[in-house]
Amino acid sequence: MSELVRLAQQGDPSAFEQLYRQHVGRVYALCLRLAGDATEARALTQDAFVRAWERLGTFRGDSEFSSWLHRLAVNVVLADRRAAARRERRVATESDAPAYELGATDGWTPERLDLEQAIVALPPGARAVFVLYDIEGYNHHEIAELVGIAPGTSKAQLHRARRLLREALER
Amino acid sequence: MSLGWHRKRLDEPLQARVKALPREIRPPEDLWDGIASRLSAAPPAPGHARLTPAAEWGVERGLAGLAPPARPWGVRPALAAALLLCLGGVLWLRVARHGGWRVAESSGPYTLAAGRLETSAGSRVRLGVGHIGFVSVEPGTRLRLLSTRPEHRLALERGAIAARISAPPRLFYVETPSATAVDLGCQYTLAVDARGGSLIHVTVGWVELTRSGERSIVPFNMSAYTLPGFTPGTPFSDHASDSLKEALHRYDFERGGEAALATVLSQSREPDVITLWHLLGRTEGPARETVYRRLAALAPPPGGVTRERVLRLERGALQTWWDDLPGSPGTLPWWQRAAVRIAAWLGIF
């Protein structure tokens, strides 16, 4: 277990801030791709780090801190998605479509932007499985457990997502 | 050749592009301030070796990390009645606290798209905050609706709002470029200028201003400035003299030093004790002792709150003194405190 994690577990906020600086890029990328909305992604990223702070005491060092944090962030986003699906959360307006803002990062190309936007346009279920499997490297059993679906459904959603992406990118 | 092979062939170009996607994307703005403002409110994690960071910060960073003043309870009969109310309130909150944003009233043209609300120079919007209150958005204001869970949170980029929240503390947050205003059960106005500086004026209850773990507690009938890059300004009373306010501004934001502090102390009267209490944690050495002497002259410390404990910024001593200060919520009669509390729960401010 790293010294920073140990200090943060003891309640040192500056150590936790350093952990935030180290990992915010990966957590934000995950939230952005799963939520498909930059405003939501910012809120979810904050939620994930607050949740991590609250649960730091449960991290035993059996895995990498980044893996633990990442899985926790996935749970935060998926729980929020499930809750969002059950209720009307926001002011509804005609132009209230998901807003995919470019992050403050280098390397944006038209080709990459096309792919990112095509991912955002996927149906939520297919998007979640695609992001977790193809980008984040989870296997179908892990995704099934995280999302609350059968492994077979995860596979079907992945194929559907890939097909929709191919179609979108060929247009 | 199987269907799997066929799919794999089709997927290869896509997989190559996906593999090229970066694993990290930096958010367009630093999110740490918003996180830090919530860490101090978060409960201690099971397994933490020490107590909450807030308790630690109280010693290590002066008054900045002190918990906000304890909500006014303490009399057993009131507690018994409140318990029943709370149970009902919890049920009510489970339904009401997570409601969405909604435009309740408007006058003149405004735009609302993708979570961004902007009023024109001649328009106003009254925005519902779930079922816990309203925000009046003044002309020429731009804000972003950030979230409704786990609390309502918006970012005021420029312009002014008037918030009226009837709910327990920490359900409504307003982020500005220079600090985050945390509602502790209150009504207030908040304006942000082009430089990102802000001025808050509290009329009911109190508000916590926080930035990177540093904080100011602004009770009713008091105001405070904030400026990007600075600790939230020291609160000042509506009844403070102009010279005190000017000197306080110099001390907080213009490196006014001893001269500005001397003016603040010489101009301070009884309504300024909350200001002086904050200054204890914003001074050091002899200056802190001078602040202590002036505050003790205006509001003698209660039993057990010794000079030595205050100068060491012991959290318990400072909290006890805060609770005893004239005008602080802790000094209201229990029935008044209960009435305010009940009114907040019922939404009848």
Side-chain angles (χ1 to χ4, degrees):
Chain A
M1 189 184 303
S2 78
E3 181 68 6
L4 274 181
V5 174
R6 194 183 62 75
L7 288 171
Q9 283 187 319
Q10 291 177 349
D12 184 339
S14 60
F16 190 67
E17 181 177 359
Q18 289 186 60
L19 289 171
Y20 159 81
R21 304 272 172 220
Q22 288 177 8
H23 298 284
V24 65
R26 186 146 181 239
V27 171
Y28 179 74
L30 173 78
C31 294
L32 185 62
R33 286 169 178 146
L34 282 178
D37 181 278
T39 302
E40 288 285 312
R42 285 195 286 268
L44 289 167
T45 301
Q46 292 186 330
D47 289 350
F49 277 97
V50 171
R51 185 78 59 85
W53 171 260
E54 291 169 355
R55 298 195 178 175
L56 259 179
T58 65
F59 176 65
R60 301 296 176 202
D62 300 332
S63 59
E64 289 293 319
F65 175 75
S66 59
S67 303
W68 177 83
L69 174 65
H70 199 258
R71 200 175 184 91
L72 183 146
V74 170
N75 278 317
V76 166
V77 177
L78 293 178
D80 183 79
R81 297 294 90 190
R82 281 192 288 269
R86 286 196 298 266
R87 65 175 187 278
E88 185 65 35
R89 294 181 49 199
R90 301 170 53 200
V91 176
T93 66
E94 288 182 4
S95 57
D96 203 12
Y100 193 90
E101 294 175 2
L102 300 185
T105 182
D106 297 326
W108 286 101
T109 62
E111 189 177 51
R112 183 186 151 197
L113 185 56
D114 287 345
L115 179 55
E116 296 275 14
Q117 288 179 329
I119 293 170
V120 167
L122 288 172
R127 183 171 70 231
V129 172
F130 178 82
V131 170
L132 293 175
Y133 189 94
D134 269 355
I135 301 180
E136 301 297 340
Y138 288 91
N139 63 41
H140 285 299
H141 287 283
E142 290 171 322
I143 293 171
E145 184 186 335
L146 283 166
V147 181
I149 56 177
T153 308
S154 176
K155 290 177 185 174
Q157 290 280 34
L158 180 64
H159 293 312
R160 181 183 177 215
R162 287 175 175 171
R163 176 176 55 79
L164 291 171
L165 283 176
R166 281 197 307 271
E167 290 170 2
L169 295 172
E170 285 165 5
R171 279 188 208 124
Chain B
M1 303 299 172
S2 66
L3 187 60
W5 177 88
H6 177 65
R7 282 175 176 161
K8 193 175 175 186
R9 290 283 299 176
L10 287 174
D11 285 341
E12 274 176 0
L14 175 64
Q15 289 300 303
R17 290 179 68 172
V18 169
K19 277 192 170 54
L21 289 176
R23 299 293 293 273
E24 298 188 5
I25 300 174
R26 289 196 306 277
E29 64 195 53
D30 190 2
L31 305 175
W32 175 248
D33 279 357
I35 294 169
S37 71
R38 293 165 62 188
L39 295 190
S40 55
H48 267 189
R50 291 193 288 174
L51 292 178
T52 64
E56 294 298 323
W57 294 356
V59 176
E60 294 171 6
R61 301 188 182 186
L63 299 179
L66 277 176
R71 293 308 295 263
W73 280 114
V75 181
R76 288 183 180 177
L79 274 174
L83 186 59
L84 290 173
L85 270 172
C86 285
L87 288 174
V90 167
L91 290 174
W92 170 75
L93 271 177
R94 288 178 70 86
V95 176
R97 66 191 292 181
H98 293 317
W101 307 100
R102 68 188 188 284
V103 173
E105 293 176 35
S106 65
S107 63
Y110 68 92
T111 59
L112 175 60
R116 291 179 182 272
L117 173 64
E118 188 160 1
T119 54
S120 66
S123 65
R124 280 189 171 82
V125 168
R126 189 163 183 253
L127 194 63
V129 185
H131 300 282
I132 62 173
F134 292 92
V135 171
S136 297
V137 183
E138 298 298 304
T141 296
R142 186 173 66 208
L143 55 79
R144 287 178 288 127
L145 309 174
L146 297 181
S147 66
T148 57
R149 290 184 69 249
E151 69 280 314
H152 286 81
R153 185 177 287 267
L154 61 82
L156 178 59
E157 296 177 347
R158 71 165 191 231
I161 61 169
R164 177 176 174 160
I165 302 298
S166 304
R170 302 187 186 284
L171 287 183
F172 179 64
Y173 290 66
V174 180
E175 296 178 8
T176 74
S178 48
T180 298
V182 185
D183 175 272
L184 301 177
C186 57
Q187 294 177 32
Y188 63 88
T189 59
L190 176 60
V192 172
D193 66 16
R195 298 169 58 202
S198 76
L199 171 63
I200 190 167
H201 179 237
V202 180
T203 51
V204 173
W206 56 97
V207 172
E208 177 186 282
L209 292 175
T210 178
R211 176 187 171 276
S212 298
E214 305 286 344
R215 68 178 75 183
S216 292
I217 301 163
V218 190
F220 55 96
N221 295 337
M222 296 193 80
S223 302
Y225 290 102
T226 65
L227 205 59
F230 289 84
T231 295
T234 309
F236 55 89
S237 166
D238 291 353
H239 305 292
S241 67
D242 288 344
S243 51
L244 183 147
K245 293 179 203 171
E246 288 168 13
L248 195 60
H249 197 276
R250 287 202 306 277
Y251 186 78
D252 283 341
F253 305 116
E254 302 167 48
R255 299 174 183 269
E258 291 181 7
L261 182 63
T263 303
V264 170
L265 295 179
S266 67
Q267 292 290 318
S268 58
R269 302 290 179 264
E270 188 173 312
D272 304 312
V273 291
I274 301 285
T275 300
L276 297 181
W277 183 87
H278 277 81
L279 285 173
L280 285 169
R282 298 169 185 221
T283 49
E284 294 179 347
R288 181 179 297 162
E289 180 143 16
T290 316
V291 174
Y292 168 83
R293 284 203 300 272
R294 183 60 185 154
L295 179 55
L298 294 171
V305 178
T306 64
R307 169 182 166 280
E308 290 72 24
R309 292 184 66 200
V310 171
L311 295 183
R312 284 199 301 269
L313 298 182
E314 280 189 24
R315 184 171 181 266
L318 292 168
Q319 189 78 57
T320 303
W321 203 355
W322 166 273
D323 289 340
D324 197 57
L325 289 178
S328 85
T331 58
L332 294 174
W334 73 266
W335 59 270
Q336 280 187 23
R337 284 180 266 148
V340 169
R341 184 95 172 175
I342 292 167
W345 279 95
L346 297 177
I348 52 174
F349 271 143

